[in-house]
Amino acid sequence: MKIKEILRKKDFSHADICDLLRIDNKSDFELLRNRAYEVMKEHCGEKVFLRGLVEFSNICKCDCNYCGIRKSNKDVERYLLNKEDILAAARKSVENGYASFVMQSGDRDDPKFIDYVIDVVKAVKEATVSEKLPKGLGITLCIGEQTYEDYKRLFDAGIHRYLLRIETTNEKLFNKLHTVEQSYHKRVKCLKMLKDIGYQVGTGVLIGFPEQTIEDLAYDVLFFKEMDVDMIGMGPYIVHKNTPMAHYFDEYQAKKQETFELGIKMIAVCRIVLKDVNIASTTALQAMYDDGREQGLLCGANVLMPQHSPFNVRKQYQLYEGKPFLDETDKSSLEDLERRVHSIGRTLGYHEWGDSRHFRKK
Ligand code: 5AD
């Protein structure tokens, strides 16, 4: 079927999605991108919402084969930011006019850690209530798999969005990339618990793993739809040298352009299929090409998560090689971000939580 005809459809089959992801010529890509942009405009508007990102700890109990902060990587100096540093990052977000904040760390589920996160979240909320932000900063958490009780305690502390990537919905591939302690089914269960508690739930996948196919990615898109998620954060897989997948580096280099294009096509396809969810244009896109995040926005993404972690710890949070260390709290960088967003005809959604419209409609 012609791309034009597929794009006119209301419902998309697995085969349709595969066809869209296989687009390999400029004119069809333009059709896809324009349609995604149109859908975004209609269902989400053109504003780009901002979330200040603080990577508050790189201590991780997991040993994912692709990740630079995996437990077995002894070359990483482990850290946990103190409350003051996290509060400073939160205040900086507010100063910059960002109404939302993302707290991300390695996976950890010990009671001491959860208690600490709860304490910090309450402090962030308290410190950021103002006339402009009567409910304080909107907070998204990304600290991995937890029990129902702990998800609930975190929710009650004031977190209202949670990101937990499924990474891939191909169970065989999932098992190959993770250790036996991790399971695809457990992760799905966690996503369901989050939904049940009332969080706005985000998930996502890595794009361009060795052995991952277009068919797999099309199933990933259908999974997002079936799970009725509110937010999507996904990006290309980038090799890290201190992982068991380091040997894949040459192949990754050779396929870099193709993987990047697949990354932005996934954004466009998710926009077209899921319509009113929030979709982030992630740092991994920017790590591959300087204008990567702008390209993601042009394909229908509507969220950016600029770095607000203290400068001295950024080198210790290298999930992948070449992660940019821009000081996005700095005035000149803020202006640069604004200039980049304006250059593609978009505006920034300052002082707004920018919740997923999909969630609001529920
Ligand atoms: N390349 C790109 N993204 C990665 N992540 C982890 N390792 C890599 C990598 N090598 C992503 C995972 C995780 C998120 C926090 O970072 O998808 O969920």
Side-chain angles (χ1 to χ4, degrees):
M1 201 186 297
K2 281 212 177 97
I3 295 300
K4 234 184 198 156
E5 286 167 38
I6 297 176
L7 291 174
R8 264 193 236 117
K9 290 186 163 190
K10 267 213 176 98
D11 289 311
F12 300 87
S13 66
H14 183 259
D16 294 333
I17 296 173
C18 287
D19 285 349
L20 295 177
L21 293 175
R22 283 206 180 94
I23 288 175
D24 62 356
N25 64 80
K26 248 189 164 151
S27 61
D28 280 345
F29 177 70
E30 280 300 298
L31 289 176
L32 175 76
R33 191 170 68 174
N34 290 340
R35 180 68 194 134
Y37 202 88
E38 228 173 68
V39 173
M40 178 198 75
K41 235 165 125 173
E42 186 188 337
H43 293 272
C44 303
E46 274 182 290
K47 264 188 204 164
V48 177
F49 295 109
L50 297 159
R51 286 90 176 81
L53 170 66
V54 63
E55 292 146 341
F56 68 98
S57 175
N58 63 356
I59 301 169
C60 191
K61 70 175 167 60
C62 297
D63 224 8
C64 309
N65 287 342
Y66 47 83
C67 185
I69 64 163
R70 66 200 303 271
K71 184 172 64 179
S72 304
N73 183 3
K74 301 287 181 242
D75 272 6
V76 174
E77 211 179 292
R78 303 288 165 171
Y79 69 87
L80 169 68
L81 291 185
N82 63 37
K83 194 163 151 184
E84 256 330 296
D85 282 339
I86 303 174
L87 277 172
R91 288 199 190 98
K92 197 85 203 172
S93 286
V94 177
E95 255 171 56
N96 289 345
Y98 302 0
S100 285
F101 194 48
V102 179
M103 289 174 56
Q104 187 184 95
S105 73
D107 273 35
R108 219 178 124 176
D109 59 2
D110 50 290
K112 199 170 145 206
F113 180 69
I114 303 300
D115 288 347
Y116 176 64
V117 175
I118 288 175
D119 183 47
V120 171
V121 165
K122 287 183 177 161
V124 167
K125 278 284 177 190
E126 240 178 71
T128 56
V129 171
S130 68
E131 233 170 79
K132 263 192 189 144
L133 285 176
K135 291 197 284 175
L137 275 176
I139 309 179
T140 310
L141 196 65
C142 182
I143 61 168
E145 296 175 3
Q146 309 293 339
T147 61
Y148 189 95
E149 290 67 33
D150 283 339
Y151 280 143
K152 179 79 172 79
R153 286 173 64 214
L154 291 158
F155 184 79
D156 292 339
I159 296 158
H160 72 291
R161 308 182 183 122
Y162 203 101
L163 293 173
L164 181 66
R165 288 190 181 178
I166 191 77
E167 313 294 0
T168 174
T169 59
N170 175 332
E171 201 179 336
K172 256 197 183 153
L173 187 57
F174 184 101
N175 290 339
K176 236 178 157 168
L177 296 165
H178 300 102
T179 54
V180 284
E181 292 87 42
Q182 293 166 284
S183 96
Y184 170 78
H185 296 283
K186 169 129 190 270
R187 204 153 286 197
V188 174
K189 218 169 131 190
C190 284
L191 287 169
K192 289 183 176 159
M193 295 194 288
L194 290 162
K195 234 171 94 175
D196 181 63
I197 291 168
Y199 280 100
Q200 289 177 40
V201 179
T203 192
V205 291
L206 279 169
I207 300 156
F209 275 134
E211 294 176 46
Q212 186 185 39
T213 63
I214 292 288
E215 284 77 11
D216 290 337
L217 290 167
Y219 282 123
D220 293 344
V221 176
L222 291 173
F223 171 83
F224 302 154
K225 175 109 181 133
E226 192 187 299
M227 289 293 290
D228 195 26
V229 296
D230 308 299
M231 312 179 292
I232 294 174
M234 59 194 172
Y237 159 63
I238 301 173
V239 177
H240 191 291
K241 65 175 185 310
N242 288 335
T243 63
M245 287 166 80
H247 62 277
Y248 185 63
F249 187 74
D250 289 344
E251 202 180 324
Y252 161 74
Q253 278 295 347
K255 284 189 357 193
K256 186 174 164 189
Q257 178 66 21
E258 195 186 318
T259 304
F260 177 81
E261 283 169 12
L262 199 51
I264 57 175
K265 279 189 282 186
M266 274 292 279
I267 292 181
V269 171
C270 283
R271 174 58 69 209
I272 292 166
V273 175
L274 285 102
K275 301 194 168 52
D276 55 1
V277 296
N278 274 351
I279 304 179
S281 195
T282 54
T283 317
L285 290 170
Q286 188 189 10
M288 291 180 102
Y289 295 104
D290 179 57
D291 68 343
R293 285 192 303 183
E294 288 91 286
Q295 295 209 43
L297 292 175
L298 286 167
C299 281
N302 67 331
V303 169
L304 287 179
M305 299 169 25
Q307 276 260 24
H308 277 58
S309 302
F311 221 72
N312 59 322
V313 297
R314 292 193 192 175
K315 279 212 163 48
Q316 307 302 335
Y317 207 90
Q318 255 194 298
L319 305 174
Y320 46 83
E321 224 86 33
K323 189 160 169 257
F325 298 123
L326 305 173
D327 189 355
E328 294 185 303
T329 60
D330 173 77
K331 191 156 183 285
S332 58
S333 290
L334 271 180
E335 281 164 8
D336 180 59
L337 187 74
E338 206 164 60
R339 184 188 55 74
R340 283 168 180 263
V341 171
H342 288 171
S343 78
I344 54 164
R346 305 274 287 272
T347 54
L348 289 165
Y350 287 118
H351 310 297
E352 289 180 62
W353 271 16
D355 279 332
S356 154
R357 288 202 190 172
H358 184 75
F359 183 81
R360 275 197 262 149
K361 279 190 216 151
K362 279 182 189 168

